Amino acid sequence: MKALSALGGRTGTWMIVAGLLVLLNAPLAMAGEADLVLPDLSSQTFLGIDGHSLLLGGLVICVFGMLFGLVQYMAIRKLPVHASMREISEL
């Protein structure tokens, strides 16, 4: 408040009033998740593939990626390791 009073009584007061007005109007300017409009995926195409098939293909690739990661994790876990390195990794 001392910094605002250094600007002058009226200037500091108007700055506070303007700041409060901005804060009070902010929720009106923001859109929420319920306001989002999603397009119909079957009506959209990308390189000749409809949006629904493209999304489903992406999910299948993600599942394969998770399976690949799991297989690699199990293979690395079975590799021989020096005892001192095992102690450090278990900390």
Side-chain angles (χ1 to χ4, degrees):
M1 292 304 287
K2 290 182 181 181
L4 290 178
S5 64
L7 293 173
R10 285 191 156 168
T11 306
T13 303
W14 282 111
M15 288 177 69
I16 291 173
V17 169
L20 287 174
L21 286 174
V22 168
L23 289 175
L24 291 174
N25 287 328
L28 299 175
M30 293 184 206
E33 289 182 35
D35 300 327
L36 293 176
V37 178
L38 298 176
D40 182 22
L41 292 177
S42 60
S43 67
Q44 304 296 321
T45 59
F46 181 75
L47 296 176
I49 304 170
D50 68 329
H52 195 270
S53 298
L54 188 63
L55 181 63
L56 187 60
L59 290 173
V60 170
I61 289 172
C62 289
V63 169
F64 280 130
M66 289 174 56
L67 290 174
F68 175 76
L70 182 63
V71 168
Q72 291 297 311
Y73 172 75
M74 298 300 262
I76 290 172
R77 190 171 170 95
K78 292 179 183 177
L79 290 175
V81 66
H82 194 271
S84 62
M85 290 301 288
R86 184 179 306 274
E87 287 178 26
I88 290 174
S89 70
E90 291 175 355
L91 286 178

